[in-house]
């Protein structure tokens, strides 16, 4: 094998590896209102909002997102990789069949609104003075 053919083989191998790693990835920005909520992906804490999430799961895969913040109800949702068409894997799929498994991805951005917890109900009757019984004044 000549030096030029070795270089060409390496270039093809590197291009194929790049296609499979970058072309198959899908990314979405997770935001919350209010910000700086803790982000859990499939049960593992990964950071705080805003959080850039990326994976190489195949079409139809699901990911559980849970947001927590003190003073707010926990928020949980499921994100499915079938929200947006991706051109890169589509082009690659014309040459290499398995790449079609990544032709759909996530929306580029998603924002979740967290509901505040209701203030604790207090028992006001204990602090209120009871009216005097008739004839005991």
């Amino acid at each position: 094998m000549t030096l030029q053919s070795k270089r060409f083989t390496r270039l093809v191998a590197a291009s194929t590896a790049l296609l499979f790693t970058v072309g198959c990835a899908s990314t979405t920005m997770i935001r919350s209102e209010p910000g700086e909520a803790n982000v859990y992906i499939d049960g593992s804490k990964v950071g705080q909002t805003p959080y850039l999430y990326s994976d190489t799961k195949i079409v139809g895969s699901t990911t559980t997102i849970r947001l927590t913040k003190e003073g707010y109800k926990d928020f949980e949702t499921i994100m499915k990789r079938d929200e947006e068409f991706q051109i890169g894997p589509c082009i690659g799929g014309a040459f290499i069949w398995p790449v079609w498994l990544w032709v759909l991805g996530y929306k580029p951005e998603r924002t979740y609104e967290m509901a505040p917890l209701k203030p604790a109900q207090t028992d006001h009757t204990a602090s209120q003075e009871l009216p005097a019984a008739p004839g005991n004044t």
Side-chain angles (χ1 to χ4, degrees):
M1 220 180 213
T2 67
L3 181 60
Q4 287 179 338
S5 62
K6 285 182 182 180
R7 285 184 182 166
F8 178 75
T9 303
R10 287 182 186 162
L11 178 64
V12 169
S15 299
T16 303
L18 184 63
L19 173 69
F20 278 108
T21 57
V22 176
C24 301
S26 185
T27 302
T28 186
M29 177 63 75
I30 300 171
R31 300 181 189 279
S32 67
E33 190 57 47
E36 298 181 352
N38 295 314
V39 179
Y40 294 82
I41 302 291
D42 292 331
S44 298
K45 185 175 180 181
V46 293
Q48 289 188 320
T49 57
Y51 180 77
L52 186 63
Y53 175 75
S54 184
D55 71 27
T56 56
K57 293 180 179 180
I58 63 171
V59 169
S61 298
T62 59
T63 301
T64 303
I65 300 171
R66 183 167 54 100
L67 303 177
T68 64
K69 185 170 178 81
E70 190 173 327
Y72 292 84
K73 293 180 185 177
D74 290 358
F75 180 86
E76 189 166 312
T77 188
I78 294 176
M79 173 174 66
K80 192 170 181 182
R81 185 164 174 170
D82 66 355
E83 301 169 336
E84 191 168 278
F85 179 77
Q86 294 183 272
I87 191 70
C90 182
I91 293 169
F95 303 105
I96 306 168
W97 178 82
V99 178
W100 284 101
L101 296 173
W102 294 275
V103 76
L104 296 176
Y106 303 116
K107 294 177 188 174
E109 188 172 314
R110 57 192 71 235
T111 302
Y112 301 111
E113 189 170 330
M114 300 178 71
L117 290 172
K118 293 181 181 176
Q121 298 290 331
T122 56
D123 186 9
H124 295 291
T125 58
S127 62
Q128 292 178 350
E129 199 174 305
L130 295 174
N136 291 345
T137 54

